[in-house]
Amino acid sequence: MFDRFEAEADAILAEQIRLCEIAAPTGQESKRADAVASALESLGLDVQRDAVGNVIAHGERQPRRPLILSAHLDTVFGPDQSCRVARPGEANPYRRDAIVPTNEYHAPGISDAAAGLAAMLAVARALSGTPAAEQIVYAATVGEEGLGDLRGARHLFASEMGRRARAFITIDHSDAAAIVNAGIGSRRFRVQFQGRGGHSWGHFGRYNPAFALAAAADRLAETEVVSEPRTTFNIGVVRGGETVNAIPERAEAEVDLRSESASALDELERVLRDAVEAGHQRELARRSEAALAPSLAPIGDRPAGVTPADNELVQAARRAIESESLTPRLIAASTDANAAIAAGVPAIAMSWGGRSDNQHSVREWFDPTDRARSLRVLSRILVELSQPDAERG
Ligand SMILES: [Zn+2]
């Protein structure tokens, strides 16, 4: 049954290119969603659009405990970014003076996640009409990237169908041997310090939000984090102030905290809150004037969590990868699977196959060589989990 992936390689690639060229910035996925929905409809599936714009499809009856195969619709690129796909031998519009090499296809979003959507549709076609298909729900999600904050997947796993799911597989990376079974959690905050402002000479001595921010940032920078579970922090954006000879009225920073462990993330959030308060107090103590308390506004929250290595889903993924003579590896990443794991549904992220690199950059490219291998892996996992005896175990 899985031989067809090699025979259909050109059609799968054509579908991937077609989807890639329909722009789908986070929050503006509807055109691409239409294209995915009609591809699923052409397989005779029952296709719905949920309240946030996810495309959800299943066979004649909705399975009792669905196996959900998924890919995300959105890209990190804005509406003005060209996503035309440059083919082998063409001048590469994304790299000056370069010709696209043999077998490579260059465009922003060509792999992440146009390759994921193409893989989902190829598997849906291959399994169409088989007993396994009756257990599967296909889901193309919105809002996976950046400030989308897993909006589509969260909505899916807040729904009754999502919570009933037996397993969730999102197709969202390039490494054919890797199983993402750990979700890296992240919390993001906009931290703001405020004062009255004033003239740098005439009002010297007033509370200076820039100094308060600097003191808080220094305190955060000194924080020691554990490497196991891996935990990191970053100040990615700093802004505020008007001109060099004025005390700023405002200074703010955007902070990104990440960890494989939910409790380490809780602890890191406490550290950040303490650092902000300490920076504020430090500046207050140095100046002659009081100021508003600093604010800390959440701008992102992705849950952390793990699907254990001995879970049936991870085990099935291992066997499927081994059957392609590859050695499976378990890794951590931040994907739609985080939302499933947080809802108690076993979840992994798997490869879209082929070779690809430079995701989230205009220099992104994809080479379909060996894509069939990863499509067989996805199909095998679904077929194995859909066996009636597997359900009993
Ligand atoms: Zn992705």
Side-chain angles (χ1 to χ4, degrees):
M1 164 165 58
F2 303 150
D3 293 344
R4 60 183 294 157
F5 295 128
E6 252 119 25
E8 287 174 3
D10 291 346
I12 296 168
L13 179 62
E15 184 156 61
Q16 176 185 0
I17 291 172
R18 187 171 63 85
L19 293 172
C20 178
E21 290 183 338
I22 306 170
T26 303
Q28 300 169 56
E29 300 96 340
S30 67
K31 282 214 185 87
R32 190 178 286 187
D34 290 342
V36 171
S38 60
L40 290 164
E41 271 158 12
S42 73
L43 297 175
L45 296 170
D46 178 335
V47 183
Q48 313 276 337
R49 210 70 62 89
D50 70 15
V52 297
N54 295 321
V55 177
I56 311 283
H58 58 78
E60 223 166 290
R61 280 180 305 142
Q62 194 182 79
R64 194 175 57 82
R65 296 198 60 209
L67 308 168
I68 305 177
L69 184 66
S70 182
H72 65 85
L73 290 161
D74 60 320
T75 73
V76 297
F77 305 100
D80 298 330
Q81 171 62 51
S82 163
C83 38
R84 194 186 73 76
V85 177
R87 294 163 167 79
E90 284 181 17
N92 189 343
Y94 306 106
R95 295 187 196 199
R96 216 183 323 161
D97 302 328
I99 299 293
V100 177
T102 313
N103 294 330
E104 290 187 14
Y105 295 80
H106 286 240
I110 185 65
S111 62
D112 189 9
L117 294 167
M120 182 184 81
L121 294 173
V123 171
R125 260 192 306 276
L127 297 181
S128 176
T130 69
E134 290 162 27
Q135 311 280 325
I136 301 172
V137 166
Y138 298 99
T141 59
V142 298
E144 192 273 341
E145 298 285 5
L147 296 180
D149 214 21
L150 313 183
R151 194 164 63 94
R154 282 172 197 274
H155 184 82
L156 180 60
F157 290 102
S159 78
E160 204 247 327
M161 185 276 284
R163 280 197 303 265
R164 265 196 339 255
R166 182 160 155 221
F168 176 76
I169 303 170
T170 181
I171 310 166
D172 202 8
H173 66 81
S174 59
D175 183 341
I179 302 164
V180 174
N181 72 318
I184 298 169
S186 68
R187 286 187 203 160
R188 294 165 182 173
F189 298 92
R190 181 170 299 121
V191 175
Q192 197 176 82
F193 297 87
Q194 290 181 75
R196 263 214 300 166
H199 193 280
S200 62
W201 171 263
H203 300 116
F204 181 72
R206 284 187 183 171
Y207 179 94
N208 186 323
F211 289 141
L213 172 59
D218 185 53
R219 180 83 168 242
L220 180 65
E222 294 291 330
T223 306
E224 293 195 11
V225 286
V226 290
S227 56
E228 192 56 46
R230 185 168 152 80
T231 301
T232 66
F233 55 84
N234 182 53
I235 293 181
V237 174
V238 173
R239 59 170 98 80
E242 295 293 334
T243 182
V244 66
N245 57 351
I247 299 167
E249 288 182 29
R250 204 181 330 276
E252 63 179 37
E254 290 179 6
V255 185
D256 173 74
L257 312 177
R258 293 180 179 234
S259 181
E260 293 166 9
S261 144
S263 60
L265 211 47
D266 286 341
E267 174 57 27
L268 195 53
E269 180 178 335
R270 265 195 301 279
V271 166
L272 172 65
R273 289 180 183 279
D274 288 351
V276 167
E277 183 56 26
H280 176 59
Q281 292 301 335
R282 182 106 191 263
E283 179 59 7
L284 278 181
R286 291 188 286 225
R287 308 300 161 205
S288 60
E289 172 175 287
L292 289 174
S295 66
L296 208 139
I299 54 171
D301 183 3
R302 294 181 170 214
V306 177
T307 300
D310 62 359
N311 180 274
E312 60 168 7
L313 175 62
V314 180
Q315 291 293 320
R318 273 187 172 285
R319 281 190 289 275
I321 289 172
E322 280 162 358
S323 74
E324 295 291 332
S325 307
L326 295 167
T327 307
R329 312 185 285 121
L330 299 181
I331 61 170
S334 177
T335 69
D336 275 346
N338 291 42
I341 294 171
V345 174
I348 56 176
M350 294 294 290
S351 175
W352 46 56
R355 297 187 312 125
S356 57
D357 205 356
N358 301 337
Q359 286 80 19
H360 296 193
S361 122
V362 295
R363 296 161 75 93
E364 183 173 357
W365 58 271
F366 181 84
D367 169 353
T369 307
D370 287 333
R371 178 195 336 239
R373 193 169 65 177
S374 294
L375 302 182
R376 286 192 297 267
V377 166
L378 292 166
S379 307
R380 276 206 179 87
I381 299 169
L382 293 166
V383 168
E384 182 182 324
L385 292 180
S386 67
Q387 306 292 318
D389 54 334
E391 170 98 46
R392 276 198 303 275

